[in-house]
Amino acid sequence: MSTILGISAYYHDSAACLVRDGDIVAAAQEERFTRKKHDPGFPHRAIDYCLQAGGIRLGEVSRLVFYDKPLVKFERLLETYLAFAPTGLQSFLAAMPVWMKEKLLLKTLLCEEFLKHDQRLKKRDLPQLLFSEHHESHAASAFFASPYDSAVVLCMDGVGEWATTSAWKGHGNQLTPLWEIPFPHSLGLLYSAFTYYTGFKVNSGEYKVMGLAPYGEPKYAKAIYDHLIDIKPDGTFRMNMEYFNYCTGLTMTGNKFDSLFGGPPRKPESKLTQREMDLARSVQEVTEEVMLRISRSLHRETGLDYLCLAGGVALNCVGNGRILREGPFKDLWIQPAAGDAGGALGAALSVWHQYENQPRISNGKQDRMRGSYLGPAHTNEEIEVFLKSKGAPYSRLSNSELFERVAQDLAQEKVVGWLQGRMEFGPRALGGRSILGDARSTKMQSIMNLKIKYRESFRPFAPSVLRERVSDYFDLHSDSPYMLIVAPVQEKRRRPMTASQKDLWGIDLLNVPRSDIPAVTHLDYSARVQTIHQETNPQYYNLLKSFEALTGYAVLVNTSFNVRGEPIVCTPEDAYRCFMRTEMDVLVLENCVLYKQDQTPLAEDTDWKKEFELD
C-alpha cells in the first residue's frame, strides 16, 4: 500500500492532501483551521487532519512531496533582479533575507516542520521527501483527477518557478510538457495588476474584478492591446514591462501605467467609480480572448477532444464558460482547487502515477474529486455536545423533517446557514459549508451582501441547481459541479428592461431584476452555475428536491459560509459564531436546526471586522 502526503506552503493558500493507492483520501487548506484567510504557513493542522482521516501516522506515510522547486524559483528571482538592475534593488533587499534564511534551506526546514507531527520520529525516520515543479503540480491536479483518459492540459497563473502559462498532453498515467511562456510575461499577473489598480487585494480580489466587469464598458481594451500586451494569433503573448512594477518594485504597476489610465490606483475601500468598472470590463475581455485563442490553438495542435484547466486563471469562470460554448472541445474539466492549494493534490497524484508509474483508470464520466468534499465532517452527537455547552436552543430532526422544514424557511425568504458532511476543498462553497437563499427573491442579493456577508453590493451570487434541471434554467448542457463555469440564463426566464431602466448606467443597474431567478442573475444575464448531483451530496440534493416540490423551482442561492475576510467555516463552532454575528435567520448543523429568534446573543464576542483582515 502506498500513501503519499502532498503539501503546498509559503506563498498563499497552504494545504495538505493524502492520496492512498491513487485514491484521494483527504485534502484541506490550512486557513480553515487557523482562521487566517489564505494562510501561507506550513500546513500543520491540515496535515494532522489528513493523517487522522487516513488513520495513519506520519512515519507510516510512503512519501512526502512539496508542490514546487524552491531552488529553481530562487534562480528566477536572482536572474530577474540582475536583468532589471539597479532598479530592482529595493525589492531584492526586501526578499533576500527571507530566501537566505528559509527558502534556500527549505528541505531542512520542511523536515523540521514534519517532525513536529510525531515526537517519536527522528529525521532519519522521515519518509522520502520529493519536490514537484509548480506547473507540473497544477497540471497533475487537473489531468489525473479528471474523468478523461486523454486530454490537453492548460495551466495559467501568476508564476511558478519560471512558467506562467504551460501546456501539457495527458494520456493514461503520464503528462508530457508541450510548451510554456516564462516570467515575466503572465496573464495572471496582468489581471492582478488591474486588481491592484482598481483597489482590490492581489491574490484575493481578482474575482471581484470579474464580478465588477459587467457594470462597465471595454473602453480601455484597445489601450491594453496597444501598450501592455502583444497577443499572437495562437494566443501566446508578451508583455511590455515598462508599465509594470512587479519585477523590480513592491507594487504591481508603475507611473507609466498610471499615466496610461488617467491617474493613480484607487485607494482600497474608497468609492467605486465608472472608471474601475470600465477597467474591469476591459481586462476581463482581454483575458477571455487569450484563453480562447490558446484553447483553440491547443485543439488544433493536439487534435484532442477534451481540455483540463488549473492555475489561478482557471478560476476565471466567465472565461471558462466562453471556452465551453465557443471553443472546439467536446468538454472541459476544471480542478476545483485550481490555485496553489490544489498543488498539494497534484504533487501527490504526480508521485503516484509518474514517479511510482502506477496505472490510471478513467471512464470519461466521473472524476476522482468526490465532489471536492474532502475535508472534515462532524456527527450529530458531536454537534449536540457543542450546542448544549453553549446553551443554544435547537431541534434535531429526521432527514425528511429537515428537508421539508428548511425548504419552507427558504421559501419564506429566510437566510439559512448550512453545514453538512465533509468540508469542501478549494475556494468555493459547494453545499457543505454554504449560506443559502431563495433565488426567486428580488431582495436576496442585497440582504446577503449587506446584512450577512458584509461585502460590496455589486458582487453576484451563484445558483445551485439540480443537475437534471440545469438546462431548464441556463444555457448549459454539461456538468458544472464546482461552480467554475458561467452560463447565460435561458431566454425564456429573462425579464426585458424598461425604457427607463435602459437609461441607467453602471452600479445603478444593480437592483434591476433580470429574470425570474433575480438573486442569481448577473447584470449581463449570466450566472456562475453549480450543478448538484445525488451521488456526491445527497443531503443538499434532497433539500433542492424538497424546495422544488414546494415552489416549482429547483434553484437556490449558494454562497460561502463566512463573512468578508473570513475563511469558509470548518467546524460547527465556526458556523455557530458566524451565524450569531450576522443577520442569518436559520442555522442547520447536520440534522440540528437553530433559529436566530430563539438564541441569546453571544457574550464577550469580538468584533469580526477587527478579527478578520478585509479581503
Side-chain angles (χ1 to χ4, degrees):
M1 181 178 291
S2 175
T3 309
I4 301 159
L5 181 68
I7 71 160
S8 61
Y10 302 129
Y11 183 46
H12 60 96
D13 293 309
S14 294
C17 174
L18 191 71
V19 171
R20 177 180 286 142
D21 288 345
D23 290 329
I24 305 166
V25 175
Q29 294 118 288
E30 185 72 359
E31 66 164 23
R32 305 295 171 85
F33 304 96
T34 63
R35 313 307 301 152
K36 179 183 176 183
K37 196 161 188 179
H38 304 301
D39 192 338
F42 188 87
H44 282 291
R45 298 189 190 187
I47 290 172
D48 285 340
Y49 156 68
C50 288
L51 293 174
Q52 181 184 12
I56 192 173
R57 299 198 314 272
L58 185 64
E60 298 171 317
V61 169
S62 307
R63 288 188 171 90
L64 308 170
V65 57
F66 190 69
Y67 81 126
D68 73 4
K69 294 189 174 181
L71 288 178
V72 181
K73 186 174 287 187
F74 182 65
E75 174 194 55
R76 186 252 301 167
L77 288 174
L78 280 180
E79 288 197 25
T80 300
Y81 292 136
L82 288 170
F84 286 88
T87 52
L89 182 62
Q90 182 185 11
S91 182
F92 179 85
L93 293 175
M96 281 308 103
V98 175
W99 272 96
M100 298 303 292
K101 181 181 178 182
E102 293 182 356
K103 298 192 178 182
L104 276 181
L105 303 173
L106 188 65
K107 187 171 183 178
T108 300
L109 177 64
L110 288 172
C111 290
E112 291 173 355
E113 296 290 355
F114 276 122
L115 286 171
K116 294 176 182 178
H117 292 270
D118 193 334
Q119 300 298 322
R120 295 165 293 184
L121 281 180
K122 303 297 182 184
K123 189 173 181 178
R124 65 176 180 272
D125 300 323
L126 277 175
Q128 180 185 18
L129 176 59
L130 302 171
F131 293 83
S132 174
E133 288 191 348
H134 188 96
H135 267 234
E136 184 175 13
S137 296
H138 277 319
S141 77
F143 177 63
F144 292 138
S146 81
Y148 312 130
D149 184 60
S150 294
V152 63
V153 185
L154 175 61
C155 303
M156 306 181 83
D157 61 4
V159 61
E161 292 91 3
W162 273 106
T164 69
T165 302
S166 64
W168 307 70
K169 186 176 181 179
H171 179 72
N173 68 344
Q174 293 296 313
L175 278 164
T176 304
L178 298 176
W179 53 261
E180 68 180 47
I181 297 174
F183 182 85
H185 310 289
S186 168
L187 188 65
L189 290 176
L190 173 71
Y191 208 91
S192 290
F194 279 86
T195 301
Y196 164 81
Y197 191 69
T198 51
F200 302 118
K201 187 179 289 187
V202 172
N203 290 330
S204 175
E206 282 78 5
Y207 56 92
K208 299 184 186 182
V209 175
M210 185 175 63
L212 190 62
Y215 293 94
E217 296 294 327
K219 293 181 179 178
Y220 301 102
K222 187 175 187 301
I224 296 173
Y225 286 125
D226 289 347
H227 299 281
L228 302 188
I229 186 169
D230 176 23
I231 306 171
K232 304 303 180 186
D234 66 359
T236 57
F237 55 87
R238 289 184 63 82
M239 289 166 60
N240 185 349
M241 298 313 299
E242 294 177 9
Y243 290 87
F244 300 94
N245 214 22
Y246 56 77
C247 284
T248 58
L250 301 175
T251 59
M252 293 298 296
T253 59
N255 292 332
K256 285 196 72 170
F257 196 101
D258 296 354
S259 298
L260 181 62
F261 296 110
R266 168 182 167 258
K267 292 182 179 180
E269 306 305 314
S270 63
K271 184 179 179 180
L272 280 165
T273 69
Q274 192 62 46
R275 183 181 74 142
E276 282 77 48
M277 299 173 201
D278 294 339
L279 286 163
R281 175 70 175 274
S282 300
V283 74
Q284 177 63 32
E285 291 212 353
V286 171
T287 299
E288 291 170 25
E289 182 63 23
V290 174
M291 293 173 74
L292 273 168
R293 286 192 195 184
I294 291 181
S295 298
R296 289 167 177 155
S297 297
L298 287 173
H299 183 266
R300 189 167 56 248
E301 291 166 8
T302 66
L304 293 170
D305 289 329
Y306 299 100
L307 173 69
C308 298
L309 299 174
V313 176
L315 295 173
N316 193 306
C317 46
V318 179
N320 296 342
R322 287 196 63 191
I323 291 173
L324 182 63
R325 291 191 304 277
E326 302 173 37
F329 292 97
K330 288 182 179 178
D331 208 349
L332 71 157
W333 191 87
I334 307 142
Q335 167 55 239
D340 278 10
L345 166 65
L349 289 175
S350 184
V351 169
W352 169 252
H353 288 300
Q354 300 195 114
Y355 188 81
E356 298 188 5
N357 196 30
Q358 295 293 337
R360 175 174 169 269
I361 300 171
S362 54
N363 62 12
K365 296 179 181 179
Q366 293 172 313
D367 65 37
R368 298 168 64 189
M369 290 297 294
R370 302 173 188 260
S372 214
Y373 306 109
L374 298 167
H378 303 272
T379 66
N380 279 304
E381 289 69 31
E382 291 170 340
I383 290 165
E384 289 195 270
V385 168
F386 164 72
L387 291 176
K388 287 173 181 175
S389 75
K390 292 293 183 183
Y394 72 94
S395 300
R396 179 169 170 176
L397 307 177
S398 67
N399 276 344
S400 58
E401 292 172 323
L402 176 71
F403 304 139
E404 186 176 340
R405 171 86 65 85
V406 176
Q408 290 171 351
D409 289 333
L410 289 164
Q412 294 168 10
E413 294 188 287
K414 291 179 180 176
V415 178
V416 177
W418 178 261
L419 182 148
Q420 290 283 337
R422 297 182 71 176
M423 182 180 68
E424 302 90 338
F425 182 51
R428 303 281 180 248
L430 302 171
R433 303 290 185 276
S434 292
I435 299 173
L436 308 177
D438 188 346
R440 303 171 303 162
S441 171
T442 56
K443 58 185 180 181
M444 189 56 61
Q445 182 187 11
S446 176
I447 289 172
M448 281 190 162
N449 268 329
L450 302 179
K451 295 187 177 183
I452 311 296
K453 304 281 282 188
Y454 302 105
R455 68 183 199 181
E456 299 93 342
S457 61
F458 68 84
R459 288 166 62 180
F461 287 106
S464 291
V465 58
L466 294 174
R467 171 62 183 93
E468 61 268 28
R469 294 290 310 279
V470 63
S471 298
D472 294 340
Y473 295 90
F474 309 103
D475 185 12
L476 181 66
H477 305 280
S478 61
D479 294 350
S480 179
Y482 304 122
M483 206 184 281
L484 286 171
I485 293 172
V486 164
V489 173
Q490 285 284 11
E491 289 276 358
K492 64 184 179 183
R493 296 192 174 275
R494 300 182 184 185
R495 290 181 180 171
M497 295 177 70
T498 65
S500 59
Q501 288 171 342
K502 288 179 181 178
D503 290 335
L504 297 175
W505 192 255
I507 209 73
D508 293 332
L509 289 163
L510 176 65
N511 295 317
V512 178
R514 295 305 174 108
S515 74
D516 65 344
I517 44 173
V520 296
T521 305
H522 204 18
L523 197 68
D524 54 358
Y525 296 103
S526 70
R528 178 161 49 95
V529 180
Q530 181 200 8
T531 53
I532 306 303
H533 304 249
Q534 188 171 20
E535 299 78 16
T536 52
N537 195 334
Q539 294 290 92
Y540 193 30
Y541 180 89
N542 287 329
L543 174 62
L544 272 160
K545 289 291 286 185
S546 294
F547 187 77
E548 181 186 31
L550 182 66
T551 66
Y553 280 70
V555 182
L556 288 174
V557 181
N558 176 13
T559 189
S560 56
F561 199 150
N562 58 348
V563 292
R564 185 182 169 195
E566 179 188 18
I568 295 174
V569 301
C570 176
T571 65
E573 185 174 1
D574 297 335
Y576 176 74
R577 189 185 306 114
C578 185
F579 169 66
M580 293 300 293
R581 285 172 164 177
T582 66
E583 296 181 50
M584 244 179 284
D585 303 298
V586 185
L587 175 62
V588 179
L589 304 173
E590 294 296 337
N591 289 75
C592 300
V593 181
L594 294 79
Y595 287 88
K596 179 65 65 64
Q597 64 199 30
D598 300 333
Q599 308 302 314
T600 303
L602 290 175
E604 302 179 7
D605 186 34
T606 58
D607 183 355
W608 68 265
K609 294 177 184 176
K610 296 177 181 177
E611 184 176 341
F612 303 117
E613 184 179 341
L614 293 182
D615 60 2

